[in-house]
Amino acid sequence: MSESRWIPLESNPDVFNSWAINAGLASQAQFEDIYGLDPELLGMVSEDVKAVTLLFPCSGTIATKRKEEDEKIAAQGQHPIDPTIFWMKQTIVNACGTMGLLHALINSGVAFADESPLAKFIEECKDKTPLERVKVLEETSLFEQIHTSAAVSGQTTVPEDLDTYLHFTCFVNAPDVTARDQDRGWRVVELDGGRNGPIDRGKCTNLLQDVANFVKEHYIKESKSVNFSMMALCSAQD
């Protein structure tokens, strides 16, 4: 049996917003471009950032360090992750854009329309494992249709060769489960369907700034490529 292979999604707010609306986003939230990681460019992003997506070249040093970190976490563990975080394993080729969207939307507290694809998906996946969740995604043809519709609506032509080394990951904030109730803090958590689970990225004081600092140090610094793109899921402006 051949593996499922979707069309890669473009890192484009119009594409992601179209996907989100078609899948059932009902609250006033939207994806916006992050034009750069300098303070003045980060200042152009709307307030109340709920999640950040990153498209990056998953090759060379970055790919090697991802593998090494997965092995280290498996052997030594990491800072405890909030168990309410929704994460799923990616098994569908080129579905990392949809994975990033799902991880961003489901973990950001935004509202979904009743009986929408997203609302039904969340309900069906409530008590399932990360691999069982992606099986639901594979068997829900409507999600593939939404993905394909968004993919072909981008500004770039859909390539004949669907193999790509570019990959989406997502960052959200989550409660620090080790903190005392009266002093509950927040953590930055990276959600990447290509990894072995959610990954703690340290204390969160400002999600956008904290993610920008992490991306500069652990992604951009490790690559000579310019193929990086970031978006923020924010409350829509009036």
Side-chain angles (χ1 to χ4, degrees), residues 125-140:
C125 290
K126 190 181 300 181
D127 299 316
K128 287 183 165 49
T129 68
L131 280 173
E132 290 171 339
R133 289 168 178 169
V134 81
K135 191 66 176 175
V136 174
L137 182 67
E138 289 177 345
E139 295 173 349
T140 306

Side-chain angles (χ1 to χ4, degrees), residues 11-233:
S11 183
N12 178 324
D14 290 339
V15 170
F16 271 46
N17 288 326
S18 172
W19 188 106
I21 292 169
N22 288 334
L25 178 64
S27 63
Q28 293 297 308
Q30 63 186 18
F31 286 93
E32 302 179 7
D33 274 319
I34 298 174
Y35 293 106
L37 302 182
D38 294 332
E40 59 271 22
L41 295 175
L42 292 176
M44 297 173 62
V45 179
S46 298
E47 296 181 357
D48 191 22
V49 173
K50 301 175 180 297
V52 176
T53 62
L54 167 69
L55 180 69
F56 66 95
C58 189
S59 59
T61 302
I62 291 177
T64 299
K65 291 199 170 185
R66 280 160 57 90
K67 184 175 183 294
E68 292 174 348
E69 184 178 41
D70 284 342
E71 293 171 349
K72 181 179 178 181
I73 291 173
Q76 302 177 16
Q78 63 173 333
H79 189 93
I81 302 288
D82 177 15
T84 65
I85 284 286
F86 181 98
W87 177 81
M88 58 194 296
K89 184 71 175 175
Q90 180 184 341
T91 60
I92 304 169
V93 178
N94 295 336
C96 59
T98 280
M99 293 291 169
L101 276 154
L102 289 169
H103 287 147
L105 293 166
I106 295 174
N107 292 294
S108 61
V110 298
F112 307 115
D114 293 339
E115 298 302 310
S116 67
L118 273 170
K120 290 180 179 179
F121 179 75
I122 294 169
E123 182 62 30
E124 190 168 353
C125 290
K126 190 181 300 181
D127 299 316
K128 287 183 165 49
T129 68
L131 280 173
E132 290 171 339
R133 289 168 178 169
V134 81
K135 191 66 176 175
V136 174
L137 182 67
E138 289 177 345
E139 295 173 349
T140 306
S141 61
L142 185 56
F143 272 113
E144 182 175 4
Q145 294 168 19
I146 292 170
H147 177 105
T148 301
S149 176
V152 300
S153 71
Q155 296 177 356
T156 57
T157 303
V158 175
E160 292 184 10
D161 182 0
L162 296 182
D163 289 333
T164 177
Y165 71 104
L166 298 177
H167 183 72
F168 278 101
T169 189
C170 170
F171 299 86
V172 299
N173 60 5
D176 184 350
V177 295
T178 68
R180 294 174 298 180
D181 289 342
Q182 65 268 31
D183 192 30
R184 177 63 58 94
W186 293 85
R187 308 290 294 184
V188 177
V189 179
E190 183 173 359
L191 303 172
D192 182 339
R195 306 297 291 269
N196 294 332
I199 302 174
D200 179 79
R201 294 306 186 198
K203 184 177 180 180
C204 182
T205 55
N206 177 301
L207 181 61
L208 179 61
Q209 185 62 64
D210 293 337
V211 172
N213 291 338
F214 183 84
V215 168
K216 281 191 287 189
E217 186 67 24
H218 296 278
Y219 279 95
I220 295 175
K221 187 178 178 181
E222 301 292 354
S223 176
K224 296 180 180 179
S225 173
V226 296
N227 291 317
F228 290 89
S229 179
M230 295 175 68
M231 291 183 290
L233 176 64

